[in-house]
Amino acid sequence: MQMSQEVFGQFRRKRLLIAITVAALVLILTLAFRFMEEKSRIEQQSHIFANNAIQRFDRLFSPLDVAANNTLGLVGLSCEQVRFPLIEKLASLQTVRTIVLVNNDTLYCSSLSGAGNLSFSHYYPELAVNNQRMMLSTDQQLLKGSPVLLFWTPQDTDNHSGILQVINIEMMSNYLLEPTLPWVERAIFNVGDKSLEYGNPMVEQALPSEDEVTWQESSLRYPFSITLFGPAPTRLALMTMPSQLPLALLLSLLMGYIVWLATASRMSLSWQISYGINAREFMVYCQPLINSRSGDCDGIELLLRWHTPRQGWIPPDVFIPLAERQDLIAPLTRFVLSEVARHLPLLPTCPTFHIAINVAASHFHQHQIIDDLRRLWWPENPVPQLIVELTERDALPEVDQRVVACLHTLGVKLAIDDFGTGHSSLSYLKTLSPDVLKIDKVFTAAIGTDAINATVTDMVISLAQRLNISLVAEGVETEEQATYLREKGVDVLQGYFYARPMPLGDFPDWLSSHKTLLFA
């Protein structure tokens, strides 16, 4: 039985909606990912610029630091003795304008102007009193008004003697702080609360404009920091989005097409099956198994029915094969086991009463069926005989045939369902040693009408009787078929002639009425 065109139409609309939704999400996520990636790259570039600038300044100050420490031995000597050595030292330090010796809080000797007598703590309290090692200032001797950096190296802890180097910081900052557009528009060298900006000869505090953001990195070796001003990374990243749109659009269309292919009607139905299991839309039905000789009900076969509020009743010949192909048949079988275990108190407590359940070949893999029986069936201490009906849509691998032997050891009987229509039926008789063969309803329907199929039915019956295997005939719908099968020695009959499939909870009432008819 095929699904109606309405159901297929619903699946196609769902597929289209899912494909469009996925394509839109992929487009949004791709652009968002590229946006975040570009934003992160811009921020990283700014930090790299600041770190590189700090490393360059550190490399600039390091030889000055070494030179100052090597010159500390001149402190205290007279200016006439040390001036020429200071000039020689100055010649080797290209970035230094002048070197000044400080002794007992007095600036007493300069490589530029010679001897002097100025108070160090008065002119440079940040260095002398606040114990700073660097200070931004303006030159008052050589190039008046130009920015300089005072680099202080004390001789002792009292901070009253040492070497003071005056560095041409404007030249260095113009060389080392050149901004890298577009992510760095302004670069500033900071010492304490004073700043020197690239391209600006004034020593003053630098502030960002309204649309600029700030990054700042500090040196770990010397008391200075680098501040960068530039456009917000968000704005720069957004400016790159038009160039990212073609690739994102192509990727979204590709993903939408893949989803459209993946959510074909069968895939859609498989999703419905998964949802139906969780929503308990499936129901367990049963069909009586009638003893052909006595007319008693010897057992039931468990059947699965599916009613969904979305599509109504969906026939088993649609969802069962699909569930097998989508590896969903095992969860359905577990659902049937749990339901029949729950209804055991309503069923006859007789060891000759049979409960048959269909199990796909895939459920035998890695002893899954045995594990499920141990978890769902045997804890209920069932009295009726369990029969596992092996469906033949797929071949049972040799490794899983050992599971059948384990089932026999545990007292579970094996039936081969739809015998003669499936895979390697004759080989199964040898390798699986089944207890029951079920004659497919196709052969039952051929009784009295189709000479070829009727002959096949007789051969199957004869083969089973020679091998001492019980027979169950499915699809018995007429008195003629029932009589024919009874005369041929078929043990159990099943079909609409006796009873239609019914909800498992209705079986006790049917069984009572059936016994009443037998004894009437």
Side-chain angles (χ1 to χ4, degrees), residues 23-92:
L25 286 175
V26 169
L27 178 63
I28 295 172
L29 291 176
T30 302
L31 291 177
F33 175 77
R34 292 296 300 136
F35 169 78
M36 297 301 296
E37 187 179 52
E38 187 66 18
K39 180 182 176 183
S40 176
R41 187 184 72 84
I42 293 170
E43 293 175 344
Q44 185 179 14
Q45 290 292 337
S46 301
H47 289 299
I48 289 175
F49 180 93
N51 287 328
N52 289 340
I54 287 175
Q55 291 177 10
R56 289 192 292 265
F57 275 106
D58 284 346
R59 287 195 295 269
L60 171 66
F61 297 142
S62 182
L64 303 183
D65 203 4
V66 173
N69 284 299
N70 293 337
T71 312
L72 284 175
L74 302 179
V75 175
L77 300 178
S78 65
C79 191
E80 290 79 5
Q81 291 179 285
V82 300
R83 186 179 179 191
F84 286 107
L86 290 180
I87 294 174
E88 290 178 354
K89 180 70 68 175
L90 184 65
S92 65

Side-chain angles (χ1 to χ4, degrees), residues 10 18 41 65 134 149 176 179 237 239 276 309 330 340 344 357 385 399 405 431 442 444 446 448 450:
Q10 291 177 357
I18 293 173
R41 187 184 72 84
D65 203 4
M134 285 184 176
L149 176 69
L176 300 178
M239 292 172 62
V340 71
L344 275 176
I357 180 173
Q385 172 71 54
V399 65
T431 59
V442 173
T444 301
D450 190 329

Side-chain angles (χ1 to χ4, degrees), residues 60-136:
L60 171 66
F61 297 142
S62 182
L64 303 183
D65 203 4
V66 173
N69 284 299
N70 293 337
T71 312
L72 284 175
L74 302 179
V75 175
L77 300 178
S78 65
C79 191
E80 290 79 5
Q81 291 179 285
V82 300
R83 186 179 179 191
F84 286 107
L86 290 180
I87 294 174
E88 290 178 354
K89 180 70 68 175
L90 184 65
S92 65
L93 301 174
Q94 299 178 357
T95 59
V96 179
R97 289 188 182 182
T98 181
I99 301 176
V100 181
L101 299 184
V102 180
N103 188 35
N104 295 325
D105 198 35
T106 301
L107 298 160
Y108 79 95
C109 187
S110 169
S111 63
L112 181 63
S113 58
N117 187 20
L118 299 176
S119 172
F120 179 54
S121 59
H122 175 73
Y123 282 94
Y124 306 111
E126 294 90 346
L127 304 178
V129 178
N130 297 336
N131 198 28
Q132 296 182 9
R133 290 199 63 194
M134 285 184 176
M135 172 183 166
L136 275 174

